[in-house]
Amino acid sequence: MPMRQEAFLEHVQERGEYRTREEAERAARVVLALLGAHLVGAVRAALAARLPETYALILLNPLQAAEPLSPERFVRATAAWIEGATEKTALWDIGAVLSVVAAAAGEALTREVLLQLPPGYDLLFGHPQPT
């Protein structure tokens, strides 16, 4: 069952320590649009099914990526899409959003998502993998 939009944004706002709901929503939209460009098939559909409809649609209709972004480039791309962001603040935004996404997805689906992403995304999701 998908997480309700209010609950999703509340968790992002809390984890990101954002002053307003709008800040949390901006971060969620950018991060999910970039993430959606890296996921395909059943994994993307399963993750979308766990998110509120607004964010599921963003994940399912992502920005187009010519190639998978390394975690470092993902951070830079996020910073570029959020007005006034730096790589440091973008990393914070990504952590706030992806930790909530991981909680909504659960352990098994989060592992499947991480298998579709370049190495290092486990840290962005707050789920470091053993080396």
Side-chain angles (χ1 to χ4, degrees), residues 23-103:
E23 288 177 287
E25 183 165 1
R26 178 191 64 200
R29 287 179 176 277
V30 169
V31 171
L32 289 171
L34 287 167
L35 178 64
H38 290 77
L39 302 177
V40 296
V43 170
R44 185 167 64 183
L47 183 58
R50 305 275 178 97
L51 299 176
E53 182 179 8
T54 299
Y55 301 109
L57 291 173
I58 291 169
L59 187 77
L60 293 171
N61 297 295
L63 299 169
Q64 295 303 309
E67 62 185 36
L69 297 176
S70 68
E72 295 80 15
R73 289 184 58 210
F74 189 90
V75 171
R76 286 196 296 274
T78 301
W81 279 92
I82 297 176
E83 185 179 334
T86 65
E87 287 184 28
K88 186 175 182 180
T89 62
L91 187 58
W92 184 267
D93 293 333
I94 292 165
V97 174
L98 294 185
S99 65
V100 175
V101 168

Side-chain angles (χ1 to χ4, degrees), residues 100-125:
V100 175
V101 168
E107 287 293 323
L109 182 53
T110 298
R111 278 194 302 277
E112 289 182 50
V113 166
L114 290 171
L115 287 174
Q116 287 195 5
L117 299 169
Y121 273 80
D122 56 328
L123 299 175
L124 296 179
F125 276 82

